[in-house]
Amino acid sequence: MGSEKIREVDRAQAQDTPDRVYRELRELIVSGRLAPGTRLVETFAAQRLGVSRTPVRSAFHRLKREGYAVAANEGDERQRLIVAPITAGDAADLFHIVGELEGLAGYYAAGIEREKRRQFARELEELNNKMLVESQASKMDNYKVFQLDAAFHRRYVVEASPPRLLALHDAIKPQADRYARLYVSALTDKLDLSVAEHAVIISAIEAGDRETAQRAIQTNWRNAAHRVGELIAEWGESGGW
């Protein structure tokens, strides 16, 4: 490989590093491996990810801007950060925002060409049926349920969303997934309710009823916000100390 090519590769890797560090840290937070309230320390993160502190610092700023991290104490001049706490209010905000974004995506999806719409409605139905089967299993696979639910919602989002809507969804949805993953073991106790709500979404999209599809998706997310809120009230908020 020539020296110029090597320099190009080095530049590409340097540009990718801050984004890669951000994505890896975000995944640790969303998956719960960095628990709510955990202090974020540049040196530890840099060592774990095998990078310098500069991209870590950049990633920390981005995590704070997007709500994954918050200041440990108000007025802290050193700007020490912790993983954002789990709160009922935050869950409600996120789920309602996602519901509005996905509701609009469903509105667009219900308006695409008839045969194409019917084809992906069948794909939605297949995913929902798998969730129904899982809900009736003697030992439910919580992670599988989470993956099926995420795939169901993502399917109609990518089908017809314009680029700006898709970008907004990509930015906010992982924050809602943080709550869904943390509480998935309890949320699956009410999986039959989600399956029924999904069936309404599928019917509306297949029929080309834009307004009903939009409302059904909004309702699904608002009900999910209520169910998660009940769980947080029962289990207590986390990471706020």
Side-chain angles (χ1 to χ4, degrees):
M1 182 183 291
S3 59
E4 184 59 32
K5 186 65 174 178
I6 291 174
R7 283 195 293 271
E8 289 179 6
V9 171
D10 288 343
R11 283 195 294 270
Q13 290 176 339
Q15 292 171 353
D16 176 63
T17 299
D19 187 61
R20 177 180 64 81
V21 170
Y22 159 78
R23 285 185 278 107
E24 291 187 16
L25 288 172
R26 187 183 72 172
E27 176 58 25
L28 290 172
I29 292 172
V30 171
S31 66
R33 284 175 285 173
L34 278 176
T38 300
R39 185 179 169 192
L40 296 175
V41 181
E42 287 182 9
T43 52
F44 292 165
Q47 290 172 4
R48 176 166 183 168
L49 300 177
V51 297
S52 70
R53 293 174 62 179
T54 300
V56 171
R57 187 176 303 117
S58 175
F60 279 6
H61 286 312
R62 186 173 174 184
L63 291 168
K64 182 182 178 184
R65 185 172 66 249
E66 296 184 3
Y68 294 100
V70 296
N73 295 293
E74 291 295 332
D76 183 358
E77 295 182 357
R78 297 176 61 184
Q79 292 292 304
R80 287 173 292 192
L81 300 176
I82 61 172
V83 175
I86 293 294
T87 69
D90 189 44
D93 286 345
L94 288 169
F95 278 39
H96 284 118
I97 292 169
V98 172
E100 291 302 310
L101 293 174
E102 291 198 2
L104 185 56
Y107 178 90
Y108 289 137
I112 65 176
E113 189 271 327
R114 182 179 180 183
E115 289 306 315
K116 186 177 180 181
R117 187 178 70 238
R118 286 185 170 181
Q119 178 180 344
F120 91 83
R122 297 282 74 79
E123 295 174 19
L124 291 175
E125 189 170 30
E126 181 179 352
L127 289 167
N128 205 38
N129 286 338
K130 289 180 179 178
M131 287 183 63
L132 179 61
V133 170
E134 196 62 37
S135 73
Q136 298 169 344
S138 56
K139 187 176 181 180
M140 194 181 304
D141 185 335
N142 295 331
Y143 183 70
K144 182 179 179 180
V145 170
F146 170 80
Q147 292 289 82
L148 287 169
D149 184 68
F152 175 89
H153 289 281
R154 185 66 176 176
R155 183 65 186 86
Y156 62 76
V157 169
V158 301
E159 183 62 39
S161 295
R164 187 175 288 112
L165 176 57
L166 190 58
L168 288 170
H169 187 265
D170 287 344
I172 198 72
K173 181 60 161 53
Q175 298 186 50
D177 287 344
R178 180 172 176 243
Y179 285 90
R181 285 190 182 188
L182 285 173
Y183 292 96
V184 69
S185 60
L187 286 174
T188 49
D189 293 340
K190 299 181 180 179
L191 186 60
D192 57 327
L193 299 177
S194 291
V195 169
E197 291 167 3
H198 289 178
V200 177
I201 295 170
I202 296 168
S203 296
I205 289 177
E206 185 173 13
D209 188 337
R210 292 183 170 190
E211 286 78 12
T212 299
Q214 184 174 21
R215 287 195 300 271
I217 292 168
Q218 291 168 335
T219 297
N220 179 232
W221 277 102
R222 289 169 185 169
N223 289 344
H226 177 70
R227 290 191 281 267
V228 170
E230 288 182 329
L231 289 169
I232 294 175
E234 179 182 348
W235 292 6
E237 297 183 342
S238 176
W241 50 83

